[in-house]
Amino acid sequence: MTTSTALLLADLTGVAVFAASGASAAVAKRLDLFGVVFVGFVAALGGGIFRDLVIDEVPPLAFADWRYATTAAVTAAAVFWLHPQLARLRTTVLVLDAAGLGLFTVTGTLKALDAHVPAVGAVVIGMLTAIGGGLGRDLLTAEIPVVLRREIYAVAALAGSIMVVLLDGLGRAGALNLTGAAVLVFALRLVALRRRWSAPVAPMRPPKTDLGRPPPPGGR
């Protein structure tokens, strides 16, 4: 199997995983078949479309290669019909989502580097490629995006993007090392879920009265 074929398979696997994640969220919101497929499409391909537009690759791969849109649509439709069985597989979906996060982080960063984007820009593009679809999924289903909450999600993608850029700069961006970068993202995400790691949140202070003291219990 050539490197290009392996990257294509990794990309399509990530598309299927994120399409399933988006479709599951849409089913939970009681959307119709079109809505489920549309949310699945956005979740699977939104990050890649953003990436291609930023690096001036038009039309984006999601529209230029029929395999991407077809994979997203078929997977989302399958989730619509099979969701009663999939509802019992929440843990499996979370694991697959973490795997998709790792795959998209690596492929997005590599594509930015291939387009001669500087290191810092490639890191940002790689991270946004991985989290962009989830951001669109949550906005379409009226949820606060996961990447803006306390969960370690975007941070894991950021770490993976940095690793890919470092490997490329050292001339060590071979298939094995890139797989290691994807595994890093995957492991960080799963360990964060398992141990309930979270990013810090700004502390909230109790409101003060005009006298500068907290109001007494029960009101005035």
PDB file of all heavy atoms in Angstrom, residues 176-209:
ATOM      1  N   LEU A 176       5.445   5.795  10.168  1.00  0.00           N
ATOM      2  CA  LEU A 176       5.431   5.300  11.543  1.00  0.00           C
ATOM      3  C   LEU A 176       5.348   6.448  12.547  1.00  0.00           C
ATOM      4  O   LEU A 176       4.555   6.404  13.495  1.00  0.00           O
ATOM      5  CB  LEU A 176       6.677   4.450  11.809  1.00  0.00           C
ATOM      6  CG  LEU A 176       6.747   3.770  13.179  1.00  0.00           C
ATOM      7  CD1 LEU A 176       5.572   2.801  13.353  1.00  0.00           C
ATOM      8  CD2 LEU A 176       8.072   3.022  13.327  1.00  0.00           C
ATOM      9  N   ASN A 177       6.159   7.486  12.332  1.00  0.00           N
ATOM     10  CA  ASN A 177       6.154   8.618  13.260  1.00  0.00           C
ATOM     11  C   ASN A 177       4.850   9.406  13.189  1.00  0.00           C
ATOM     12  O   ASN A 177       4.353   9.898  14.216  1.00  0.00           O
ATOM     13  CB  ASN A 177       7.337   9.546  12.972  1.00  0.00           C
ATOM     14  CG  ASN A 177       8.665   8.943  13.387  1.00  0.00           C
ATOM     15  OD1 ASN A 177       8.720   8.096  14.280  1.00  0.00           O
ATOM     16  ND2 ASN A 177       9.744   9.354  12.741  1.00  0.00           N
ATOM     17  N   LEU A 178       4.293   9.518  11.997  1.00  0.00           N
ATOM     18  CA  LEU A 178       3.019  10.223  11.863  1.00  0.00           C
ATOM     19  C   LEU A 178       1.899   9.437  12.537  1.00  0.00           C
ATOM     20  O   LEU A 178       0.987  10.023  13.130  1.00  0.00           O
ATOM     21  CB  LEU A 178       2.695  10.456  10.388  1.00  0.00           C
ATOM     22  CG  LEU A 178       3.611  11.451   9.669  1.00  0.00           C
ATOM     23  CD1 LEU A 178       3.273  11.504   8.188  1.00  0.00           C
ATOM     24  CD2 LEU A 178       3.512  12.840  10.291  1.00  0.00           C
ATOM     25  N   THR A 179       1.978   8.121  12.440  1.00  0.00           N
ATOM     26  CA  THR A 179       1.016   7.291  13.175  1.00  0.00           C
ATOM     27  C   THR A 179       1.143   7.536  14.669  1.00  0.00           C
ATOM     28  O   THR A 179       0.144   7.599  15.392  1.00  0.00           O
ATOM     29  CB  THR A 179       1.252   5.801  12.870  1.00  0.00           C
ATOM     30  OG1 THR A 179       1.101   5.588  11.465  1.00  0.00           O
ATOM     31  CG2 THR A 179       0.260   4.924  13.625  1.00  0.00           C
ATOM     32  N   GLY A 180       2.383   7.701  15.128  1.00  0.00           N
ATOM     33  CA  GLY A 180       2.613   8.013  16.541  1.00  0.00           C
ATOM     34  C   GLY A 180       1.967   9.329  16.950  1.00  0.00           C
ATOM     35  O   GLY A 180       1.426   9.447  18.056  1.00  0.00           O
ATOM     36  N   ALA A 181       2.000  10.342  16.057  1.00  0.00           N
ATOM     37  CA  ALA A 181       1.353  11.625  16.355  1.00  0.00           C
ATOM     38  C   ALA A 181      -0.156  11.454  16.484  1.00  0.00           C
ATOM     39  O   ALA A 181      -0.789  12.034  17.382  1.00  0.00           O
ATOM     40  CB  ALA A 181       1.686  12.636  15.257  1.00  0.00           C
ATOM     41  N   ALA A 182      -0.746  10.656  15.579  1.00  0.00           N
ATOM     42  CA  ALA A 182      -2.182  10.399  15.664  1.00  0.00           C
ATOM     43  C   ALA A 182      -2.527   9.649  16.945  1.00  0.00           C
ATOM     44  O   ALA A 182      -3.540   9.938  17.600  1.00  0.00           O
ATOM     45  CB  ALA A 182      -2.641   9.597  14.439  1.00  0.00           C
ATOM     46  N   VAL A 183      -1.686   8.689  17.319  1.00  0.00           N
ATOM     47  CA  VAL A 183      -1.905   7.936  18.554  1.00  0.00           C
ATOM     48  C   VAL A 183      -1.796   8.850  19.770  1.00  0.00           C
ATOM     49  O   VAL A 183      -2.531   8.683  20.754  1.00  0.00           O
ATOM     50  CB  VAL A 183      -0.901   6.759  18.650  1.00  0.00           C
ATOM     51  CG1 VAL A 183      -0.958   6.109  20.025  1.00  0.00           C
ATOM     52  CG2 VAL A 183      -1.196   5.728  17.568  1.00  0.00           C
ATOM     53  N   LEU A 184      -0.884   9.823  19.724  1.00  0.00           N
ATOM     54  CA  LEU A 184      -0.760  10.785  20.824  1.00  0.00           C
ATOM     55  C   LEU A 184      -2.071  11.529  21.054  1.00  0.00           C
ATOM     56  O   LEU A 184      -2.550  11.649  22.192  1.00  0.00           O
ATOM     57  CB  LEU A 184       0.360  11.785  20.518  1.00  0.00           C
ATOM     58  CG  LEU A 184       0.475  12.978  21.483  1.00  0.00           C
ATOM     59  CD1 LEU A 184       0.912  12.513  22.861  1.00  0.00           C
ATOM     60  CD2 LEU A 184       1.440  14.025  20.936  1.00  0.00           C
ATOM     61  N   VAL A 185      -2.661  12.035  19.972  1.00  0.00           N
ATOM     62  CA  VAL A 185      -3.944  12.746  20.088  1.00  0.00           C
ATOM     63  C   VAL A 185      -5.016  11.815  20.628  1.00  0.00           C
ATOM     64  O   VAL A 185      -5.781  12.169  21.541  1.00  0.00           O
ATOM     65  CB  VAL A 185      -4.367  13.314  18.713  1.00  0.00           C
ATOM     66  CG1 VAL A 185      -5.720  14.013  18.821  1.00  0.00           C
ATOM     67  CG2 VAL A 185      -3.314  14.268  18.185  1.00  0.00           C
ATOM     68  N   PHE A 186      -5.083  10.624  20.058  1.00  0.00           N
ATOM     69  CA  PHE A 186      -6.055   9.616  20.466  1.00  0.00           C
ATOM     70  C   PHE A 186      -5.920   9.299  21.959  1.00  0.00           C
ATOM     71  O   PHE A 186      -6.908   9.293  22.705  1.00  0.00           O
ATOM     72  CB  PHE A 186      -5.819   8.359  19.629  1.00  0.00           C
ATOM     73  CG  PHE A 186      -6.663   7.171  20.005  1.00  0.00           C
ATOM     74  CD1 PHE A 186      -8.001   7.132  19.691  1.00  0.00           C
ATOM     75  CD2 PHE A 186      -6.092   6.086  20.655  1.00  0.00           C
ATOM     76  CE1 PHE A 186      -8.778   6.020  20.017  1.00  0.00           C
ATOM     77  CE2 PHE A 186      -6.857   4.976  20.988  1.00  0.00           C
ATOM     78  CZ  PHE A 186      -8.200   4.947  20.674  1.00  0.00           C
ATOM     79  N   ALA A 187      -4.692   9.080  22.408  1.00  0.00           N
ATOM     80  CA  ALA A 187      -4.458   8.718  23.813  1.00  0.00           C
ATOM     81  C   ALA A 187      -4.777   9.865  24.750  1.00  0.00           C
ATOM     82  O   ALA A 187      -5.397   9.674  25.807  1.00  0.00           O
ATOM     83  CB  ALA A 187      -3.007   8.270  23.994  1.00  0.00           C
ATOM     84  N   LEU A 188      -4.371  11.089  24.380  1.00  0.00           N
ATOM     85  CA  LEU A 188      -4.664  12.252  25.227  1.00  0.00           C
ATOM     86  C   LEU A 188      -6.164  12.425  25.413  1.00  0.00           C
ATOM     87  O   LEU A 188      -6.637  12.693  26.521  1.00  0.00           O
ATOM     88  CB  LEU A 188      -4.065  13.519  24.607  1.00  0.00           C
ATOM     89  CG  LEU A 188      -2.586  13.796  24.848  1.00  0.00           C
ATOM     90  CD1 LEU A 188      -2.152  15.030  24.069  1.00  0.00           C
ATOM     91  CD2 LEU A 188      -2.317  13.992  26.339  1.00  0.00           C
ATOM     92  N   ARG A 189      -6.901  12.273  24.322  1.00  0.00           N
ATOM     93  CA  ARG A 189      -8.354  12.443  24.389  1.00  0.00           C
ATOM     94  C   ARG A 189      -8.995  11.379  25.277  1.00  0.00           C
ATOM     95  O   ARG A 189      -9.840  11.683  26.131  1.00  0.00           O
ATOM     96  CB  ARG A 189      -8.935  12.387  22.974  1.00  0.00           C
ATOM     97  CG  ARG A 189     -10.453  12.422  22.908  1.00  0.00           C
ATOM     98  CD  ARG A 189     -11.016  13.685  23.483  1.00  0.00           C
ATOM     99  NE  ARG A 189     -12.470  13.712  23.355  1.00  0.00           N
ATOM    100  CZ  ARG A 189     -13.287  14.384  24.159  1.00  0.00           C
ATOM    101  NH1 ARG A 189     -12.787  15.112  25.145  1.00  0.00           N
ATOM    102  NH2 ARG A 189     -14.584  14.362  23.985  1.00  0.00           N
ATOM    103  N   LEU A 190      -8.580  10.111  25.109  1.00  0.00           N
ATOM    104  CA  LEU A 190      -9.177   9.037  25.890  1.00  0.00           C
ATOM    105  C   LEU A 190      -8.796   9.128  27.368  1.00  0.00           C
ATOM    106  O   LEU A 190      -9.644   8.911  28.246  1.00  0.00           O
ATOM    107  CB  LEU A 190      -8.752   7.680  25.329  1.00  0.00           C
ATOM    108  CG  LEU A 190      -9.380   7.263  24.002  1.00  0.00           C
ATOM    109  CD1 LEU A 190      -9.010   5.830  23.681  1.00  0.00           C
ATOM    110  CD2 LEU A 190     -10.898   7.420  24.023  1.00  0.00           C
ATOM    111  N   VAL A 191      -7.531   9.438  27.645  1.00  0.00           N
ATOM    112  CA  VAL A 191      -7.106   9.566  29.043  1.00  0.00           C
ATOM    113  C   VAL A 191      -7.832  10.734  29.711  1.00  0.00           C
ATOM    114  O   VAL A 191      -8.244  10.646  30.878  1.00  0.00           O
ATOM    115  CB  VAL A 191      -5.579   9.745  29.129  1.00  0.00           C
ATOM    116  CG1 VAL A 191      -5.151  10.088  30.558  1.00  0.00           C
ATOM    117  CG2 VAL A 191      -4.868   8.484  28.667  1.00  0.00           C
ATOM    118  N   ALA A 192      -8.020  11.834  28.964  1.00  0.00           N
ATOM    119  CA  ALA A 192      -8.741  12.975  29.516  1.00  0.00           C
ATOM    120  C   ALA A 192     -10.187  12.608  29.854  1.00  0.00           C
ATOM    121  O   ALA A 192     -10.723  13.025  30.886  1.00  0.00           O
ATOM    122  CB  ALA A 192      -8.713  14.136  28.528  1.00  0.00           C
ATOM    123  N   LEU A 193     -10.814  11.809  28.982  1.00  0.00           N
ATOM    124  CA  LEU A 193     -12.176  11.355  29.257  1.00  0.00           C
ATOM    125  C   LEU A 193     -12.209  10.418  30.455  1.00  0.00           C
ATOM    126  O   LEU A 193     -13.081  10.523  31.320  1.00  0.00           O
ATOM    127  CB  LEU A 193     -12.750  10.641  28.028  1.00  0.00           C
ATOM    128  CG  LEU A 193     -13.185  11.516  26.856  1.00  0.00           C
ATOM    129  CD1 LEU A 193     -13.489  10.647  25.642  1.00  0.00           C
ATOM    130  CD2 LEU A 193     -14.385  12.366  27.223  1.00  0.00           C
ATOM    131  N   ARG A 194     -11.250   9.524  30.494  1.00  0.00           N
ATOM    132  CA  ARG A 194     -11.208   8.521  31.565  1.00  0.00           C
ATOM    133  C   ARG A 194     -10.970   9.167  32.928  1.00  0.00           C
ATOM    134  O   ARG A 194     -11.634   8.829  33.918  1.00  0.00           O
ATOM    135  CB  ARG A 194     -10.094   7.521  31.259  1.00  0.00           C
ATOM    136  CG  ARG A 194      -9.863   6.458  32.310  1.00  0.00           C
ATOM    137  CD  ARG A 194     -10.871   5.357  32.210  1.00  0.00           C
ATOM    138  NE  ARG A 194     -10.581   4.272  33.122  1.00  0.00           N
ATOM    139  CZ  ARG A 194     -11.318   3.181  33.235  1.00  0.00           C
ATOM    140  NH1 ARG A 194     -12.392   3.042  32.470  1.00  0.00           N
ATOM    141  NH2 ARG A 194     -11.019   2.233  34.088  1.00  0.00           N
ATOM    142  N   ARG A 195     -10.036  10.113  32.973  1.00  0.00           N
ATOM    143  CA  ARG A 195      -9.657  10.738  34.242  1.00  0.00           C
ATOM    144  C   ARG A 195     -10.384  12.054  34.495  1.00  0.00           C
ATOM    145  O   ARG A 195     -10.085  12.743  35.464  1.00  0.00           O
ATOM    146  CB  ARG A 195      -8.146  10.957  34.272  1.00  0.00           C
ATOM    147  CG  ARG A 195      -7.351   9.651  34.220  1.00  0.00           C
ATOM    148  CD  ARG A 195      -5.863   9.893  34.350  1.00  0.00           C
ATOM    149  NE  ARG A 195      -5.117   8.652  34.401  1.00  0.00           N
ATOM    150  CZ  ARG A 195      -4.887   7.965  35.512  1.00  0.00           C
ATOM    151  NH1 ARG A 195      -5.354   8.406  36.674  1.00  0.00           N
ATOM    152  NH2 ARG A 195      -4.183   6.846  35.474  1.00  0.00           N
ATOM    153  N   ARG A 196     -11.273  12.402  33.571  1.00  0.00           N
ATOM    154  CA  ARG A 196     -12.056  13.639  33.688  1.00  0.00           C
ATOM    155  C   ARG A 196     -11.151  14.867  33.786  1.00  0.00           C
ATOM    156  O   ARG A 196     -11.407  15.790  34.567  1.00  0.00           O
ATOM    157  CB  ARG A 196     -12.998  13.565  34.899  1.00  0.00           C
ATOM    158  CG  ARG A 196     -13.988  12.425  34.821  1.00  0.00           C
ATOM    159  CD  ARG A 196     -14.979  12.454  35.978  1.00  0.00           C
ATOM    160  NE  ARG A 196     -15.863  11.320  35.941  1.00  0.00           N
ATOM    161  CZ  ARG A 196     -16.980  11.247  35.205  1.00  0.00           C
ATOM    162  NH1 ARG A 196     -17.312  12.270  34.451  1.00  0.00           N
ATOM    163  NH2 ARG A 196     -17.738  10.167  35.242  1.00  0.00           N
ATOM    164  N   TRP A 197     -10.093  14.874  32.991  1.00  0.00           N
ATOM    165  CA  TRP A 197      -9.244  16.059  32.929  1.00  0.00           C
ATOM    166  C   TRP A 197     -10.015  17.181  32.254  1.00  0.00           C
ATOM    167  O   TRP A 197     -10.854  16.960  31.386  1.00  0.00           O
ATOM    168  CB  TRP A 197      -7.993  15.773  32.118  1.00  0.00           C
ATOM    169  CG  TRP A 197      -6.994  14.892  32.820  1.00  0.00           C
ATOM    170  CD1 TRP A 197      -6.996  14.513  34.129  1.00  0.00           C
ATOM    171  CD2 TRP A 197      -5.853  14.261  32.236  1.00  0.00           C
ATOM    172  NE1 TRP A 197      -5.932  13.693  34.393  1.00  0.00           N
ATOM    173  CE2 TRP A 197      -5.214  13.524  33.260  1.00  0.00           C
ATOM    174  CE3 TRP A 197      -5.303  14.256  30.949  1.00  0.00           C
ATOM    175  CZ2 TRP A 197      -4.055  12.786  33.029  1.00  0.00           C
ATOM    176  CZ3 TRP A 197      -4.150  13.524  30.711  1.00  0.00           C
ATOM    177  CH2 TRP A 197      -3.534  12.807  31.746  1.00  0.00           C
ATOM    178  N   SER A 198      -9.715  18.402  32.637  1.00  0.00           N
ATOM    179  CA  SER A 198     -10.375  19.544  32.013  1.00  0.00           C
ATOM    180  C   SER A 198      -9.467  20.752  32.084  1.00  0.00           C
ATOM    181  O   SER A 198      -8.574  20.841  32.937  1.00  0.00           O
ATOM    182  CB  SER A 198     -11.709  19.847  32.714  1.00  0.00           C
ATOM    183  OG  SER A 198     -11.497  20.207  34.068  1.00  0.00           O
ATOM    184  N   ALA A 199      -9.694  21.680  31.182  1.00  0.00           N
ATOM    185  CA  ALA A 199      -8.956  22.939  31.198  1.00  0.00           C
ATOM    186  C   ALA A 199      -9.514  23.820  32.317  1.00  0.00           C
ATOM    187  O   ALA A 199     -10.676  23.675  32.719  1.00  0.00           O
ATOM    188  CB  ALA A 199      -9.087  23.636  29.851  1.00  0.00           C
ATOM    189  N   PRO A 200      -8.700  24.749  32.848  1.00  0.00           N
ATOM    190  CA  PRO A 200      -9.195  25.617  33.928  1.00  0.00           C
ATOM    191  C   PRO A 200     -10.300  26.545  33.455  1.00  0.00           C
ATOM    192  O   PRO A 200     -10.347  26.938  32.289  1.00  0.00           O
ATOM    193  CB  PRO A 200      -7.945  26.403  34.344  1.00  0.00           C
ATOM    194  CG  PRO A 200      -7.041  26.342  33.164  1.00  0.00           C
ATOM    195  CD  PRO A 200      -7.289  25.012  32.518  1.00  0.00           C
ATOM    196  N   VAL A 201     -11.195  26.858  34.365  1.00  0.00           N
ATOM    197  CA  VAL A 201     -12.309  27.769  34.103  1.00  0.00           C
ATOM    198  C   VAL A 201     -12.181  28.958  35.047  1.00  0.00           C
ATOM    199  O   VAL A 201     -11.787  28.798  36.205  1.00  0.00           O
ATOM    200  CB  VAL A 201     -13.666  27.054  34.319  1.00  0.00           C
ATOM    201  CG1 VAL A 201     -14.821  28.019  34.136  1.00  0.00           C
ATOM    202  CG2 VAL A 201     -13.800  25.885  33.356  1.00  0.00           C
ATOM    203  N   ALA A 202     -12.508  30.142  34.557  1.00  0.00           N
ATOM    204  CA  ALA A 202     -12.403  31.346  35.381  1.00  0.00           C
ATOM    205  C   ALA A 202     -13.312  31.223  36.604  1.00  0.00           C
ATOM    206  O   ALA A 202     -14.487  30.864  36.470  1.00  0.00           O
ATOM    207  CB  ALA A 202     -12.780  32.580  34.573  1.00  0.00           C
ATOM    208  N   PRO A 203     -12.793  31.496  37.815  1.00  0.00           N
ATOM    209  CA  PRO A 203     -13.624  31.408  39.017  1.00  0.00           C
ATOM    210  C   PRO A 203     -14.685  32.491  39.029  1.00  0.00           C
ATOM    211  O   PRO A 203     -14.464  33.611  38.581  1.00  0.00           O
ATOM    212  CB  PRO A 203     -12.620  31.595  40.160  1.00  0.00           C
ATOM    213  CG  PRO A 203     -11.502  32.378  39.551  1.00  0.00           C
ATOM    214  CD  PRO A 203     -11.413  31.927  38.130  1.00  0.00           C
ATOM    215  N   MET A 204     -15.850  32.134  39.538  1.00  0.00           N
ATOM    216  CA  MET A 204     -16.956  33.083  39.637  1.00  0.00           C
ATOM    217  C   MET A 204     -17.075  33.570  41.074  1.00  0.00           C
ATOM    218  O   MET A 204     -17.185  32.758  42.003  1.00  0.00           O
ATOM    219  CB  MET A 204     -18.271  32.427  39.194  1.00  0.00           C
ATOM    220  CG  MET A 204     -18.258  31.957  37.743  1.00  0.00           C
ATOM    221  SD  MET A 204     -18.084  33.325  36.576  1.00  0.00           S
ATOM    222  CE  MET A 204     -19.666  34.123  36.811  1.00  0.00           C
ATOM    223  N   ARG A 205     -17.067  34.877  41.278  1.00  0.00           N
ATOM    224  CA  ARG A 205     -17.213  35.447  42.611  1.00  0.00           C
ATOM    225  C   ARG A 205     -18.680  35.784  42.877  1.00  0.00           C
ATOM    226  O   ARG A 205     -19.406  36.165  41.960  1.00  0.00           O
ATOM    227  CB  ARG A 205     -16.357  36.702  42.750  1.00  0.00           C
ATOM    228  CG  ARG A 205     -14.859  36.417  42.615  1.00  0.00           C
ATOM    229  CD  ARG A 205     -14.061  37.675  42.798  1.00  0.00           C
ATOM    230  NE  ARG A 205     -12.628  37.411  42.708  1.00  0.00           N
ATOM    231  CZ  ARG A 205     -11.690  38.346  42.809  1.00  0.00           C
ATOM    232  NH1 ARG A 205     -12.049  39.609  42.982  1.00  0.00           N
ATOM    233  NH2 ARG A 205     -10.417  38.027  42.718  1.00  0.00           N
ATOM    234  N   PRO A 206     -19.113  35.668  44.129  1.00  0.00           N
ATOM    235  CA  PRO A 206     -20.505  36.010  44.436  1.00  0.00           C
ATOM    236  C   PRO A 206     -20.758  37.492  44.223  1.00  0.00           C
ATOM    237  O   PRO A 206     -19.857  38.325  44.417  1.00  0.00           O
ATOM    238  CB  PRO A 206     -20.641  35.628  45.916  1.00  0.00           C
ATOM    239  CG  PRO A 206     -19.250  35.655  46.447  1.00  0.00           C
ATOM    240  CD  PRO A 206     -18.362  35.238  45.324  1.00  0.00           C
ATOM    241  N   PRO A 207     -21.972  37.852  43.790  1.00  0.00           N
ATOM    242  CA  PRO A 207     -22.281  39.273  43.589  1.00  0.00           C
ATOM    243  C   PRO A 207     -22.232  40.031  44.908  1.00  0.00           C
ATOM    244  O   PRO A 207     -22.460  39.485  45.982  1.00  0.00           O
ATOM    245  CB  PRO A 207     -23.702  39.244  43.020  1.00  0.00           C
ATOM    246  CG  PRO A 207     -24.274  37.946  43.494  1.00  0.00           C
ATOM    247  CD  PRO A 207     -23.131  36.982  43.536  1.00  0.00           C
ATOM    248  N   LYS A 208     -21.917  41.321  44.817  1.00  0.00           N
ATOM    249  CA  LYS A 208     -21.823  42.157  46.010  1.00  0.00           C
ATOM    250  C   LYS A 208     -22.939  43.190  46.049  1.00  0.00           C
ATOM    251  O   LYS A 208     -23.454  43.613  45.022  1.00  0.00           O
ATOM    252  CB  LYS A 208     -20.466  42.868  46.050  1.00  0.00           C
ATOM    253  CG  LYS A 208     -19.290  41.901  46.218  1.00  0.00           C
ATOM    254  CD  LYS A 208     -18.000  42.678  46.334  1.00  0.00           C
ATOM    255  CE  LYS A 208     -16.815  41.720  46.573  1.00  0.00           C
ATOM    256  NZ  LYS A 208     -15.547  42.460  46.726  1.00  0.00           N
ATOM    257  N   THR A 209     -23.316  43.587  47.264  1.00  0.00           N
ATOM    258  CA  THR A 209     -24.315  44.644  47.436  1.00  0.00           C
ATOM    259  C   THR A 209     -23.634  45.987  47.278  1.00  0.00           C
ATOM    260  O   THR A 209     -22.425  46.092  47.084  1.00  0.00           O
ATOM    261  CB  THR A 209     -24.946  44.543  48.831  1.00  0.00           C
ATOM    262  OG1 THR A 209     -23.933  44.788  49.807  1.00  0.00           O
ATOM    263  CG2 THR A 209     -25.539  43.169  49.049  1.00  0.00           C
TER     264      THR A 209
END
